[in-house]
Amino acid sequence: MRSLSILGATGSIGASTLDLIRRERERWRVVALTANGNVGDLADLAGEFGAELAVVADERSLPELRERLAGSGVEAAGGAQALVEAAARAADLTIAAIVGCAGLAPTMAAIEQGGVVGLANKEALVSAGDVMTAAVARHGATLLPVDSEHNAIFQCLAGNDLAQVRSITLTASGGPFRDWSAEQLAAATPAQAVRHPNWDMGAKISVDSATMMNKGLELIEAWHLFPIPLADLRILVHPQSVIHSMVEYRDGSTLAQLGPSDMRVPIAATLAWPARMDTPCAPLDLAAIGELTFRATDEQRFPATRLARAAAEAGGAAPAVLNAANEVAVAAFLAGQIGFTRIPAMVEDVLARYAPPAPASLTDVTAIDAAARRHARALMEPA
Ligand code: NDP
C-alpha cells in the first residue's frame, strides 16, 4: 500500500487522479486532500477516500469544512500555512495540482519531505526554476512530470543520457483559436476560450492553451526538467493531440509518445511509475483518426511562445514575472475586464517594466511574484 496526497484535489487533475485511485482503492492510503474554497467537493472526497486530513487554502471556508467533516474522523484545517503543513506530511507520492503560483509553497514543502512529487502545477516550476530544482537535488526528492508533454518526453528519454539528445519537440494542439484571424482573436470571449477542442481542463490552463502561453510555460518547464540548450527545444503545432511530444537522438532516431487526449494516461504513468497500471481510457484508434498533421507555430498571432522563450533566455526572475503577469491577465480576461489579445500584450508590458534580480530562495520568488502582480494590475487602472 502506498500513501498519497493531492494538492488541488477538487480540480480537473485532482478528479482524474482520484478516478484512477478509486479503481485501485486497496493499493492507496490517502493522507491529505486540499482545495481552495470548494468545501462541498473536498468534504465529499475526503470522506469517500478516508483521507487523514482535508485543507482549504481559503481560511474563511474552514468553519464550513469542519461542520461537514464532523464525526467523519477526517481532520480539517485551513489557510496558507495549513496547506504547507499538509504538503509536508509524509506521503510516498504527492500530486501537485494546484493552479498557478499559489501552489508554489506547498509544492516546495512536498519536495522538502524528499518523496516523489508528481508535478502538474507548471506555474510553480516556471516561477521558482532553479530554486525548485536545487531543492529537489538537496532533499533527494523525485520530480515526475504529470503534464502530458513532459510525461511523454520522460517516457521517450527512458533514462537515456541527455547528452545523447539532439532536440526535444513539444507538440501543441494550437488551442481553440488556432485558425482564427487577428481580428477574430481580438473579439474572442472567455466562453469561446475555455472550449478546448481536444482536452477537458480547468479554466486557467484552457485560456493559456488558447493564447499558446501554455506552450510557453511548458517550454520553460521542459528546460528545467530536461536541461538541453534552449535552441534545441522546439514547439510544433499538431492539431490532433495524438503525439504528446518527441525526443530526437543524435543518431537521427526520433521517439514519440502517443496516446488518447486524456490526462488519466500521464497521471497513470506517474502513479504506477516505474511500473504501469490499467486505465479506463479508450485505446488509441489510429485508423479512425486517419491523419496526423503538423505545422509551425505562428508567433505573429500567438506571441506568447516568443515571450516565454525570451524570458527563459533572460533567465533570473523573468519567468516568474512572465507567469505572474499572465495569471493576472488571464483572471482579468475571464472576468471580462480585458480583451483576449491584451493577455500577451500585458505580459510583454510587465516584462519590459519590471526586471528584478534573480531569486535565490522561495521568499524571493514569492516577493517577485507579488510585485509582478502589482505591476500587472497597475496596467489595468484607468490612466
Ligand atoms: P482546476 O482549476 O481545475 O483546479 C485547480 C485546483 O487548485 C482546485 O483544487 C482548486 O481548488 C485549487 N486552487 C485554486 N486556487 C487555489 C489557491 N489560491 N490556493 C490553493 N488551492 C487552489 O485546474 P487544473 O486541474 O486544470 O490544473 C491544475 C494544474 O495542473 C495547473 O497548473 C495546470 O496548468 C496543470 N495541468 C492541468 C492539465 C489539465 O488537463 N487540467 C494538464 C496539464 C497540466 P477549488 O476547487 O477549491 O477552487
Side-chain angles (χ1 to χ4, degrees):
M1 207 179 206
R2 294 174 73 205
S3 56
L4 169 85
S5 287
I6 305 178
L7 312 173
T10 50
S12 159
I13 293 290
S16 295
T17 307
L18 287 168
D19 178 72
L20 293 170
I21 298 295
R22 197 175 273 120
R23 296 162 199 270
E24 291 196 345
R25 279 300 304 277
E26 68 293 346
R27 297 196 53 209
W28 297 95
R29 180 171 65 80
V30 176
V31 179
L33 297 180
T34 82
N36 189 27
N38 185 349
V39 176
D41 285 354
L42 180 65
D44 288 349
L45 292 169
E48 178 189 349
F49 288 91
E52 276 174 25
L53 171 67
V55 181
V56 274
D58 183 349
E59 213 159 359
R60 291 168 303 181
S61 306
L62 180 56
E64 192 190 337
L65 182 66
R66 282 215 174 100
E67 201 176 301
R68 286 189 185 242
L69 289 174
S72 68
V74 183
E75 205 182 314
Q81 189 50 33
L83 194 61
V84 167
E85 283 165 18
R89 269 200 198 188
D92 296 324
L93 173 64
T94 302
I95 300 294
I98 291 174
V99 61
C101 202
L104 174 57
T107 301
M108 288 291 279
I111 288 169
E112 283 164 13
Q113 54 118 347
V116 183
V117 177
L119 184 77
N121 183 194
K122 64 191 84 182
E123 298 92 342
L125 179 56
V126 167
S127 299
D130 296 342
V131 170
M132 183 179 285
T133 51
V136 170
R138 197 165 56 244
H139 297 280
T142 302
L143 206 54
L144 294 178
V146 170
D147 221 343
S148 59
E149 295 76 2
H150 306 75
N151 191 271
I153 296 164
F154 182 71
Q155 293 193 44
C156 293
L157 284 172
N160 279 302
D161 193 338
L162 282 174
Q164 307 301 323
V165 171
R166 185 188 285 167
S167 71
I168 292 177
T169 299
L170 292 162
T171 53
S173 70
F177 304 151
R178 66 178 167 245
D179 298 318
W180 287 30
S181 67
E183 295 68 36
Q184 287 174 304
L185 288 176
T189 66
Q192 291 166 326
V194 298
R195 220 177 296 129
H196 196 279
N198 306 350
W199 299 91
D200 181 12
M201 311 182 285
K204 194 264 178 181
I205 185 177
S206 297
V207 175
D208 284 345
S209 184
T211 59
M212 293 284 286
M213 184 57 89
N214 183 45
K215 216 46 58 180
L217 298 174
E218 287 178 6
L219 182 85
I220 302 172
E221 184 186 9
W223 197 38
H224 289 296
L225 292 171
F226 316 110
I228 64 169
L230 198 53
D232 297 336
L233 271 173
R234 297 173 191 156
I235 296 172
L236 182 67
V237 174
H238 165 45
Q240 296 83 13
S241 297
V242 168
I243 295 180
H244 297 301
S245 277
M246 298 180 252
V247 173
E248 180 193 25
Y249 286 91
R250 66 193 182 115
D251 58 6
S253 178
T254 295
L255 298 194
Q257 187 263 349
L258 286 71
S261 308
D262 187 324
M263 282 307 293
R264 289 177 299 181
V265 176
I267 293 170
T270 306
L271 291 176
W273 179 83
R276 297 276 178 175
M277 65 184 279
D278 292 334
T279 70
C281 305
L284 195 59
D285 185 348
L286 287 173
I289 294 166
E291 273 190 345
L292 300 184
T293 59
F294 306 93
R295 64 170 104 143
T297 49
D298 176 351
E299 291 187 337
Q300 288 294 324
R301 283 181 306 140
F302 300 103
T305 49
R306 172 178 59 77
L307 297 175
R309 192 178 281 279
E313 266 158 13
V321 173
L322 168 115
N323 177 69
N326 182 58
E327 286 194 33
V328 172
V330 170
F333 169 69
L334 284 170
Q337 293 162 346
I338 62 168
F340 182 75
T341 48
R342 266 302 279 155
I343 300 173
M346 259 178 74
V347 173
E348 190 157 21
D349 274 3
V350 176
L351 279 165
R353 280 158 202 251
Y354 180 52
S361 65
L362 174 59
T363 311
D364 291 350
V365 179
T366 310
I368 290 165
D369 176 76
R373 283 167 199 268
R374 286 195 295 277
H375 279 276
R377 286 193 200 101
L379 287 176
M380 293 191 305
E381 282 162 14

